[in-house]
Amino acid sequence: MKLGSLKEGGRDGSLVVVSRDLSRAVPATGIAATLQRALEDWGNAAPRLNALYASLNAGDADGVFDLDFNALAAPLPRAYEFVDGSAYLPHVERVRRARGAEVPESFYTDPLMYQATSAGFLGPRDPVRVVSEDYGIDLEAEIVVVTDDVPMAVTPEQAAGHIQLVGLVNDVSLRNLIPAELAKGFGFLQSKPRSALSPVFVTPDELGDAWRGNKLHLPLVTHINGEWFGAPEAGVDMQFDFAQLVAHAAKTRLLSAGAIVGSGTIANEDTAKGASCFAEKRTVETLETGKPVTPFMSFGDLVRIEMLDRDGNSIFGAIEQRIERQAPPA
């Protein structure tokens, strides 16, 4: 099934079930007021939501309305936890090679992960507002999964059973702020503003055979200002699958229902498939020519991130955002 949230009913939105073709929706507030509430009672809520989804697609649900993506908040407008990995090692290897650094052996056996911003997510049509272009504005096209309650110290095999939803994220990065922050040895903060989530999240069964081995085996397509930027295969070159990432995050703590776990920037060994972030594209240029050529994003640029099924249908809807200047508070 496909689930989204309208920009109404408070900070956590109002839960809706969305049709398979993303054209229609029906309120689900009689089952759960918000997606967060549904995830906290997933064993009871999921069968009822799935029945409503079947009724909607069959054309006999009550209260159906045409879906307007501009009216959608992020499916989880805020979450208790967002942890983001870096599971695509071709990206890590290239970035390090471009600056003459070796990849530590541990990176091949132990996932990279950091605690990301979760207090608020941008909706799929909300602008990305940044104070200055000098910050080095970048997108990161990624896949995320959402869990129910995950016990501490689960194995990857156990963690797989706690993955309930799959979606996309534009994990916005301010690249020129990152080096100074990492040099402090304490991780990202100012360089990681709020991210945007896809219009809907879907249950893994909705993905058919594209979801296997706890990976999503489809290209993730990015356009900048209407021009193709990249379509790397998400199921290829992923060193750690989502079950391994969830288990890594839960090694020493439980994860609350609604926890979001990200894949990191999608990247392939085959650079002809393009990039999912400007940092990747600039790194490839550096390795090929000795210096980056493509600048980071500017105010007015339009980002579009989408994944299509084998028949060319949008699965999650598109994240489509314009980069805008944020004026300082008066």
Side-chain angles (χ1 to χ4, degrees), residues 1 10 17 30 101 116 127-128 143 153 184 220 239 243 251-252 309 311:
M1 61 181 160
V17 173
V128 176
I143 298 166
K184 296 177 181 179
L220 184 55
Q239 181 77 7
K251 181 176 180 177
T252 60
D309 65 19
D311 296 321

Side-chain angles (χ1 to χ4, degrees), residues 56 60 72 75 108 154 204 208-209 245 259 262 281 303 315:
L56 172 62
D60 54 15
L72 289 175
Y108 296 94
V154 291
D209 64 2
L245 294 177
K281 183 175 178 63
V303 175
I315 299 172

Side-chain angles (χ1 to χ4, degrees), residues 194-247:
R194 291 186 173 185
S195 299
L197 299 175
S198 51
V200 302
F201 285 164
V202 312
T203 47
D205 65 286
E206 193 72 26
L207 301 167
D209 64 2
W211 180 259
R212 59 185 187 275
N214 300 304
K215 300 178 183 179
L216 182 44
H217 295 262
L218 289 169
L220 184 55
V221 185
T222 300
H223 288 82
I224 305 295
N225 297 325
E227 296 189 3
W228 185 90
F229 187 78
E233 291 280 348
V236 176
D237 300 318
M238 189 179 188
Q239 181 77 7
F240 305 100
D241 65 40
F242 279 107
Q244 291 172 305
L245 294 177
V246 171

Side-chain angles (χ1 to χ4, degrees), residues 8-322:
E8 59 183 44
R11 290 191 179 188
D12 294 313
S14 179
L15 181 62
V16 292
V17 173
V18 178
S19 63
R20 182 169 286 113
D21 65 2
L22 303 175
S23 68
R24 295 161 293 126
V26 62
T29 49
I31 299 171
T34 66
L35 182 53
Q36 179 63 40
R37 290 281 186 88
L39 287 160
E40 289 169 356
D41 188 28
W42 193 246
N44 292 317
R48 298 171 65 194
L49 290 169
N50 203 46
L52 183 57
Y53 181 64
S55 179
L56 172 62
N57 287 310
D60 54 15
D62 295 327
V64 177
F65 59 91
D66 292 336
L67 186 64
D68 176 8
F69 282 8
N70 292 300
L72 289 175
L76 279 171
R78 54 181 176 172
Y80 289 111
E81 194 152 30
F82 174 26
V83 291
D84 199 15
S86 187
Y88 292 86
L89 287 190
H91 174 70
V92 177
E93 290 169 342
R94 278 194 286 266
V95 168
R96 286 185 165 254
R97 189 162 73 248
R99 65 173 191 253
E102 294 289 328
V103 178
E105 284 299 317
S106 63
F107 282 24
Y108 296 94
T109 58
D110 192 35
L112 291 168
M113 188 170 284
Y114 74 96
Q115 191 87 35
T117 301
S118 64
F121 289 94
L122 301 174
R125 295 293 185 272
D126 293 346
V128 176
R129 292 194 173 97
V130 182
V131 171
S132 172
E133 291 177 347
D134 293 339
Y135 290 171
I137 307 165
D138 201 356
L139 76 139
E140 290 191 60
E142 305 181 18
I143 298 166
V144 295
V145 297
V146 184
T147 73
D148 56 14
D149 287 305
V150 182
M152 186 190 306
V154 291
T155 65
E157 292 74 22
Q158 293 167 331
H162 292 281
I163 295 172
Q164 303 301 351
L165 296 170
V166 184
L168 307 180
V169 65
N170 176 14
D171 180 38
V172 182
S173 293
L174 304 177
R175 297 294 184 182
N176 292 341
L177 301 184
I178 289 177
E181 286 203 312
L182 294 186
K184 296 177 181 179
F186 215 53
F188 304 113
L189 183 67
Q190 295 173 339
S191 54
K192 285 291 185 177
R194 291 186 173 185
S195 299
L197 299 175
S198 51
V200 302
F201 285 164
V202 312
T203 47
D205 65 286
E206 193 72 26
L207 301 167
D209 64 2
W211 180 259
R212 59 185 187 275
N214 300 304
K215 300 178 183 179
L216 182 44
H217 295 262
L218 289 169
L220 184 55
V221 185
T222 300
H223 288 82
I224 305 295
N225 297 325
E227 296 189 3
W228 185 90
F229 187 78
E233 291 280 348
V236 176
D237 300 318
M238 189 179 188
Q239 181 77 7
F240 305 100
D241 65 40
F242 279 107
Q244 291 172 305
L245 294 177
V246 171
H248 179 81
K251 181 176 180 177
T252 60
R253 57 184 172 179
L254 60 82
L255 302 181
S256 295
I260 299 174
V261 180
S263 65
T265 306
I266 312 299
N268 292 157
E269 289 283 0
D270 182 4
T271 58
K273 294 185 180 297
S276 294
C277 69
F278 279 84
E280 168 80 5
K281 183 175 178 63
R282 287 164 58 88
T283 296
V284 171
E285 291 170 346
T286 298
L287 293 171
E288 290 177 348
T289 69
K291 64 179 181 179
V293 176
T294 305
F296 290 116
M297 288 189 289
S298 302
F299 297 134
D301 285 349
L302 183 66
V303 175
R304 182 181 176 91
I305 300 169
E306 190 171 25
M307 180 171 278
L308 307 177
D309 65 19
R310 300 299 184 194
D311 296 321
N313 303 307
S314 184
I315 299 172
F316 308 98
I319 298 172
E320 194 167 291
Q321 303 179 280
R322 196 168 296 280

